Amino acid sequence: MSANIDKNVKSGGQLYLREDQINFFNENGYLTVEDFISDETIGQLRQEIQSLIENDFHPEQNHTIFSTSNQDKKKMNAYFLDSVNHISFFLENKAKVNKDTGLLEQDKKTSVNKIGHALHEKDEVFRKFSHQQKIYNYVKQVSEFEKPYVAQSMYIFKPPGIGGEVIAHQDATFLYHERNKEKKEKFVIGCWFALEDATVENGCLWGLKGSHKWGLSRRWIRDESTKDNGYCELIMEPEDEKLIPYVTDMNYEHDKYVPLEVKKGTMIMLHGCLLHKSFENTSDKGREAYTIHLLDKAEPLSKEGWIQREFNEDYFEQANK
């Protein structure tokens, strides 16, 4: 494993982060916490996903291609926009689909890029996992959130051989509160859980230490005026032109990034402005991960973002009665 991970700290039954862990996150924009998930829980999560694929994924009916390229201006279909309320399936760019029948010409599981974006609400196994008290404790410690909540969730496959690259980005580009010039912005916090070992060979995350202090490069804006027959344009609005090369060129200043190679069971916490990316999985091993992104209920959700919905159910309270 890479020596670039300075603070691989063990979680165990730890309900709160230590001061040195908080300081590391504040300085670098990320924190790795080893042994956050037991092997038993990993097995339960992976088994549940396999069940969803076998029983609920019908490629000819309910899928779309997921890609992180060409996001400056593109049509997003209703399937994507509605996925915030559902368990939805997104194929890899390189998945082999018969153009005439819509059927896959390869195994379903090795064709899926991700499943999102409401596993944390719509699936009992993932709901229980996503709303652990210590996750909320950790997020409150590294943010100024008063009452964190999970805004979206994703199960990411990165299948062997065809798992695609994810260009450098900042999570706060896609998820954000209503903007208020008179208040300091509270940026989204990501929690990324390794369900398999993540290495350079199979497409681990890469992070640019300290880049969370640089501000936000751009913001994904929903343009309702373009909505037509279930489609809506989402466009990138620049925030800081100096940062644009980082999020448009996969290899821009790559030497400044560090590989976040981690063992399965590790949680990586990510500041919403941290620049991070991952390369293609060219190995013969998978790199499955589950991720959730949290915002603050004390702040209104932006009306400009792609997620437009009410969060009335307090699953955190339900999970911690």
Side-chain angles (χ1 to χ4, degrees):
M1 290 297 159
S2 171
N4 286 313
I5 298 181
D6 310 61
K7 289 284 182 179
N8 260 355
V9 291
K10 293 188 178 294
S11 171
Q14 182 181 338
L15 283 176
Y16 294 93
L17 295 172
R18 302 188 308 269
E19 184 176 356
D20 64 301
Q21 295 173 280
I22 298 170
N23 291 339
F24 183 88
F25 180 91
N26 291 336
E27 179 65 24
N28 296 282
Y30 71 89
L31 177 72
T32 59
V33 183
E34 284 188 342
D35 300 327
F36 188 90
I37 316 174
S38 68
D39 286 345
E40 180 182 3
T41 299
I42 290 173
Q44 292 171 348
L45 295 175
R46 297 188 69 184
Q47 183 177 358
E48 183 68 8
I49 282 296
Q50 184 63 39
S51 177
L52 287 172
I53 291 175
E54 291 175 357
N55 300 314
D56 298 333
F57 179 34
H58 308 288
E60 74 282 7
Q61 299 173 11
N62 58 348
H63 79 269
T64 189
I65 300 293
F66 177 78
S67 174
T68 59
S69 62
N70 192 28
Q71 283 183 327
D72 289 329
K73 188 175 183 180
K74 65 180 178 180
K75 292 280 188 178
M76 302 301 294
N77 62 31
Y79 184 79
F80 176 85
L81 293 174
D82 290 342
S83 67
V84 69
N85 295 307
H86 303 288
I87 297 175
S88 303
F89 301 83
F90 300 86
L91 295 182
E92 283 286 351
N93 263 331
K94 294 181 180 179
K96 297 178 181 178
V97 181
N98 187 295
K99 294 181 180 179
D100 297 323
T101 65
L103 296 174
L104 284 172
E105 296 178 342
Q106 63 188 82
D107 177 68
K108 287 198 293 185
K109 186 174 181 181
T110 60
S111 304
V112 180
N113 172 282
K114 70 174 183 177
I115 299 175
H117 290 94
L119 281 163
H120 64 285
E121 290 188 0
K122 304 301 182 182
D123 182 272
E124 182 178 358
V125 174
F126 281 89
R127 182 165 63 243
K128 182 178 180 180
F129 176 82
S130 303
H131 302 286
Q132 298 177 58
Q133 184 177 355
K134 65 178 178 179
I135 293 177
Y136 286 83
N137 291 346
Y138 289 8
V139 169
K140 289 179 74 172
Q141 287 181 283
V142 299
S143 69
E144 296 180 356
F145 290 2
E146 296 177 31
K147 193 170 185 181
Y149 71 95
V150 181
Q152 73 166 28
S153 54
M154 297 181 290
Y155 193 101
I156 304 168
F157 290 86
K158 208 79 164 182
I162 69 167
E165 70 177 28
V166 177
I167 198 167
H169 63 282
Q170 299 165 298
D171 292 338
T173 290
F174 306 99
L175 291 164
Y176 45 91
H177 302 106
E178 194 70 38
R179 288 183 275 181
N180 185 338
K181 293 182 179 180
E182 297 180 359
K183 295 175 62 176
K184 179 183 176 182
E185 184 167 1
K186 298 178 181 179
F187 292 107
V188 64
I189 299 292
C191 296
W192 190 95
F193 306 94
L195 304 182
E196 296 183 284
D197 292 350
T199 67
V200 169
E201 290 75 25
N202 70 358
C204 70
L205 296 180
W206 291 72
L208 205 168
K209 284 185 177 182
S211 58
H212 65 300
K213 300 176 183 179
W214 301 351
L216 191 61
S217 59
R218 53 187 184 172
R219 212 178 290 261
W220 213 25
I221 304 296
R222 183 183 183 120
D223 185 356
E224 289 289 344
S225 68
T226 66
K227 195 169 186 178
D228 178 34
N229 194 30
Y231 290 82
C232 180
E233 282 189 5
L234 292 106
I235 57 176
M236 285 294 186
E237 181 181 88
E239 294 260 329
D240 188 338
E241 294 289 349
K242 297 190 302 296
L243 298 178
I244 297 300
Y246 288 98
V247 295
T248 54
D249 182 347
M250 187 69 178
N251 293 305
Y252 186 75
E253 295 195 341
H254 176 65
D255 59 323
K256 293 184 178 180
Y257 286 78
V258 294
L260 304 183
E261 294 189 290
V262 295
K263 290 288 190 181
K264 70 175 182 178
T266 300
M267 176 180 70
I268 303 179
M269 301 187 73
L270 302 165
H271 187 284
C273 288
L274 180 79
L275 287 161
H276 61 288
K277 60 184 178 180
S278 65
F279 290 92
E280 291 183 346
N281 180 0
T282 57
S283 77
D284 59 358
K285 300 182 183 299
R287 197 229 62 184
E288 294 182 21
Y290 177 61
T291 182
I292 57 177
H293 292 95
L294 296 96
L295 292 170
D296 188 0
K297 278 191 175 180
E299 302 289 335
L301 185 67
S302 174
K303 296 181 177 65
E304 297 178 304
W306 81 272
I307 291 181
Q308 296 297 311
R309 58 161 295 183
E310 296 293 329
F311 293 89
N312 295 321
E313 295 289 343
D314 196 334
Y315 291 104
F316 169 61
E317 296 294 342
Q318 291 182 21
N320 291 277
K321 287 181 180 179

